[in-house]
Amino acid sequence: MNIIEVMRLPLSVDLSGFVHLLQRLQLPHRVSEEGDAQVLWAPDTLAEDVLQLYQRYPDGNADIQATDEPEGAGLSGRRTAANSPTQPSLVEQAKACKVTTLTLLLCFIVAGLTSLGDNFTTISWFTFLDFRVQGDYLYFSPLAQTLDAGQWWRLVSPMLLHFGVLHLAMNSLWYWELGKRIELRQGPWMLLGLTLLFSLVSNVAQHYTSGPSLFGGLSGVLYGLLGHVWLFQWLAPNRYFNLPRGVLVMMLIWLVVCLTGVVGTLGLGQIANAAHVGGLLIGCLTGLLGGALARRKLSA
């Protein structure tokens, strides 16, 4: 079963009533924003029936019940036979959120190539600055020299580096949670652009704060995604961006704890605080801009 586009409508069209109808009928679906349009997606086996249902009840209908039609007949028959859950399976989510999935796959591949931070030869392919190992020291090339050599990928590639299983696991879980929300609402190209932008800003912030050093991970991007979703949702509420309040509070508290230096003092590793702060700030900015534009389109 594949998730396909059923219809594309202007952002000014209110789909909330129809979405509520689909939820009550327990029909798997999702709605995403792509530019000036909102797109309704559904499994290919139900796409035609969902479209016909919208043509009959574009605003939803409180009188429709999940058992209106006898089993084996039309839409209800298919739904009963398949017993389709509202929440798509993990595989279906991965297919629908291709950029989220591809980004995490690249992180896993790089983790394997670098032995999770133990192979300095392969780590040097992805670091912000190229370096060479001499004895117990790392000697980094200047940024200007790195860019003059055409190694522009280094501005964003540190986000693929992870040092240890826990580092990779935690970042992957949060990117999956935040990334797919943005991809489902704003589309894959927006998520890709935001990921690269947040990586660039957080890496540059960390480099100019700490100087030549070894750092990496998705955490700067994650704080960017968090800031984006947080302020976008504040200006233009949408169920995809409706994060539990505890998630936001927890991540902000963790940011403050890291800034105090207590994590490094306890021997739990060095934290790229500038990357976290830089990512959060640029994410808040994109969230404000994107949310303001979305709110303006909805009120037009």
Side-chain angles (χ1 to χ4, degrees):
M1 180 174 64
N2 295 319
I3 305 297
I4 64 172
E5 177 181 322
V6 177
M7 57 184 178
R8 185 178 293 261
L9 299 167
L11 289 174
S12 56
V13 176
D14 184 6
L15 276 177
S16 59
F18 184 66
V19 166
H20 182 62
L21 173 61
L22 294 178
Q23 291 172 341
R24 288 193 297 111
L25 292 177
Q26 295 186 332
L27 294 174
H29 65 281
R30 67 181 177 89
V31 179
S32 63
E33 288 185 19
E34 296 184 7
D36 295 331
Q38 53 185 328
V39 184
L40 176 67
W41 306 78
D44 51 6
T45 55
L46 296 176
E48 182 177 349
D49 291 321
V50 170
L51 180 59
Q52 292 177 359
L53 189 65
Y54 178 76
Q55 291 170 347
R56 293 174 59 189
Y57 306 103
D59 299 322
N61 190 313
D63 297 328
I64 296 179
Q65 301 297 325
T67 57
D68 278 352
E69 298 182 51
E71 291 188 11
L75 188 61
S76 295
R78 293 190 193 183
R79 175 177 48 76
T80 304
N83 195 25
S84 301
T86 302
Q87 178 69 23
S89 69
L90 185 63
V91 173
E92 291 171 340
Q93 292 181 63
K95 289 181 178 179
C97 302
K98 293 180 175 60
V99 171
T100 307
T101 304
L102 179 59
T103 301
L104 293 178
L105 181 60
L106 288 174
C107 287
F108 296 144
I109 292 174
V110 171
L113 290 174
T114 61
S115 300
L116 282 171
D118 289 334
N119 189 331
F120 282 97
T121 299
T122 51
I123 284 177
S124 66
W125 301 345
F126 303 98
T127 49
F128 192 78
L129 299 175
D130 193 10
F131 66 84
R132 58 185 174 85
V133 181
Q134 186 172 334
D136 295 331
Y137 298 95
L138 302 181
Y139 293 90
F140 292 90
S141 301
L143 179 59
Q145 179 180 328
T146 299
L147 298 181
D148 287 343
Q151 299 178 2
W152 291 86
W153 73 84
R154 294 184 181 277
L155 296 176
V156 296
S157 60
M159 72 177 183
L160 303 176
L161 283 173
H162 288 86
F163 305 96
V165 174
L166 184 60
H167 189 207
L168 176 63
M170 293 301 295
N171 280 355
S172 297
L173 288 172
W174 282 117
Y175 189 83
W176 173 254
E177 179 64 31
L178 295 170
K180 69 179 182 179
R181 289 174 181 269
I182 294 175
E183 189 164 1
L184 288 172
R185 180 173 184 182
Q186 295 185 273
W189 292 110
M190 177 60 73
L191 175 61
L192 178 60
L194 291 176
T195 298
L196 295 176
L197 173 63
F198 298 159
S199 180
L200 171 63
V201 172
S202 60
N203 291 335
V204 170
Q206 185 62 37
H207 170 70
Y208 281 105
T209 302
S210 63
S213 58
L214 184 61
F215 60 86
L218 273 170
S219 52
V221 174
L222 294 179
Y223 273 101
L225 298 180
L226 177 69
H228 180 83
V229 170
W230 175 22
L231 294 187
F232 200 116
Q233 176 72 0
W234 178 56
L235 290 172
N238 180 282
R239 66 190 184 92
Y240 286 118
F241 279 13
N242 188 27
L243 284 174
R245 184 177 297 275
V247 170
L248 175 63
V249 172
M250 183 184 68
M251 291 191 71
L252 292 179
I253 289 177
W254 176 249
L255 176 63
V256 174
V257 170
C258 291
L259 288 173
T260 64
V262 68
V263 176
T265 302
L266 293 175
L268 300 177
Q270 297 302 312
I271 305 296
N273 290 314
H276 294 178
V277 175
L280 180 62
L281 291 177
I282 187 63
C284 288
L285 177 60
T286 61
L288 283 173
L289 294 175
L293 288 174
R295 185 170 184 171
R296 182 176 179 181
K297 289 177 182 177
L298 290 173
S299 61

